[in-house]
Amino acid sequence: MRKLGRILSAATRGLCGSRTGALSPDGASIIESSPPCQAATPHPRLCAITDSGIVRLSNEDTFRIAPEQKAFFVADGMGGEQSGEIASFIAAEAFMQLSTQIRSAPEFLCCVFDQAQNRVLERAKTEPACAGMGTAVVAAALDGDLLYIGHLGDARAYLCHGDGLVRLTSDHSTIARAVLRGDLSWEEARLHPGRSTLYKAIGFEGQAEPDFSSVRVTPGDRLLLCSDGLWDELPDSEIKDVLTSEGTVCELAHILLNRALAAGGHDNVTVVLYEHSWAEDSSGLPGTSSQRG
Ligand code: CA
């Protein structure tokens, strides 16, 4: 698994000399993404990219697309050595395997978090180098015009509808909790040095307790899943400006990534951007097939 993990992780970092990697929806095509937007995925309404950022040498983020479920996944691993990378990969593997087995979107998401938790804890128990590893996860699955979202940690989902942007997830961080209590403003929280401290994530002891929600989507809505390497660099207002502007999902995803890098790129950055459409979504994501972990 470790070897496969390295291969996939290398794939998501790019194999063409580019710092940014783009994995096509079928999980097979690695497309160079420098200069930006030469990295268009084959799908006109879906773009998934990850980048190690400016500061970090490794990339502990992982993304996946599951066409059978019309589902999307981002994990942001944490831990010593390479264990954060392993944790996010294990969670991604659970997501892909279950996507072929469970048709109900809510049940699928529940099982993803349960399985990811069990597998990460098991690996951490049996491999000393992986002790204490964990990963934030955000996953979304479509059932017609209903979008189901689950998350643990501080990977986020946003929905852009018309000229508005709604955050669909609340970070499981101590700082976000302080904001909800009224102890801090969002602006203070955004710059707080302890903003990355999580109280829930995959790999934390005990039962995984993700938050689940659902929202009705309409054609033209844009769904963004991202790691904190994006939202930590860009305020929500800037993410909204980009997502409400004209452009293909590939162009917009790369604008987000490039702005995060220009703002410092202190962490790994992952962007999964999907634009909803009735015609194609009623029969699945065209031109895609499952990626097997
Ligand atoms: Ca991160």
Side-chain angles (χ1 to χ4, degrees):
M1 185 182 297
R2 182 185 280 266
K3 184 180 177 189
L4 186 55
R6 280 202 298 267
I7 291 168
L8 285 173
S9 178
T12 59
R13 285 201 298 274
L15 299 176
C16 306
S18 167
R19 184 156 42 82
T20 301
L23 192 65
S24 74
D26 65 4
S29 305
I30 309 304
I31 305 161
E32 189 175 7
S33 61
S34 180
C37 292
Q38 286 186 357
T41 60
H43 197 290
R45 291 181 294 98
L46 178 61
C47 186
I49 47 178
T50 190
D51 191 294
S52 55
I54 302 294
V55 174
R56 301 199 174 180
L57 296 176
S58 64
N59 192 344
E60 297 182 323
D61 286 1
T62 302
F63 67 77
R64 292 289 187 275
I65 310 297
E68 291 86 351
Q69 285 283 4
K70 287 166 270 181
F72 317 96
F73 173 96
V74 168
D76 176 355
M78 52 202 157
E81 301 293 325
Q82 286 189 313
S83 62
E85 197 171 321
I86 294 169
S88 67
F89 175 75
I90 291 172
E93 191 179 50
F95 171 84
M96 291 309 295
Q97 286 181 350
L98 291 165
S99 73
T100 61
Q101 299 167 9
I102 304 172
R103 289 291 154 196
S104 155
E107 187 187 349
F108 165 59
L109 291 182
C110 282
C111 290
V112 166
F113 284 91
D114 280 351
Q115 280 285 319
Q117 173 76 342
N118 293 340
R119 294 182 192 189
V120 167
L121 284 178
E122 184 62 31
R123 182 70 173 269
K125 234 182 276 175
T126 55
E127 192 169 322
C130 292
M133 70 177 178
T135 185
V137 168
V138 61
L142 274 163
D143 181 0
D145 64 344
L146 265 183
L147 176 72
Y148 293 88
I149 306 105
H151 87 289
L152 262 175
D154 60 358
R156 289 183 179 178
Y158 292 86
L159 186 70
C160 179
H161 174 80
D163 59 0
L165 182 74
V166 178
R167 178 136 64 87
L168 302 175
T169 52
S170 296
D171 303 334
H172 295 138
S173 68
T174 52
I175 293 302
R177 201 158 50 178
V179 172
L180 294 176
R181 281 199 309 263
D183 296 343
L184 284 174
S185 70
W186 279 116
E187 191 49 39
E188 288 170 327
R190 214 178 77 76
L191 304 173
H192 197 285
R195 61 191 178 279
S196 297
T197 305
L198 303 182
Y199 63 88
K200 284 207 287 191
I202 292 290
F204 284 27
E205 279 300 332
Q207 197 174 0
E209 295 179 340
D211 289 342
F212 295 106
S213 60
S214 63
V215 63
R216 204 165 290 281
V217 292
T218 57
D221 285 358
R222 289 168 173 160
L223 170 71
L224 168 68
L225 302 188
C226 62
S227 60
D228 66 343
L230 181 78
W231 63 255
D232 200 38
E233 301 288 4
L234 305 182
D236 284 7
S237 58
E238 189 167 351
I239 293 174
K240 175 187 164 184
D241 288 345
V242 173
L243 292 185
T244 55
S245 61
E246 293 290 324
T248 66
V249 290
C250 173
E251 290 166 343
L252 300 183
H254 281 89
I255 289 170
L256 288 173
L257 169 63
N258 289 333
R259 288 194 184 185
L261 298 179
H266 297 90
D267 197 357
N268 310 144
V269 184
T270 298
V271 173
V272 172
L273 186 58
Y274 164 74
E275 186 174 280
H276 188 59
S277 160
W278 289 134
E280 291 165 330
D281 290 331
S282 62
S283 59
L285 294 170
T288 60
S289 60
S290 174
Q291 175 188 351
R292 304 283 184 263

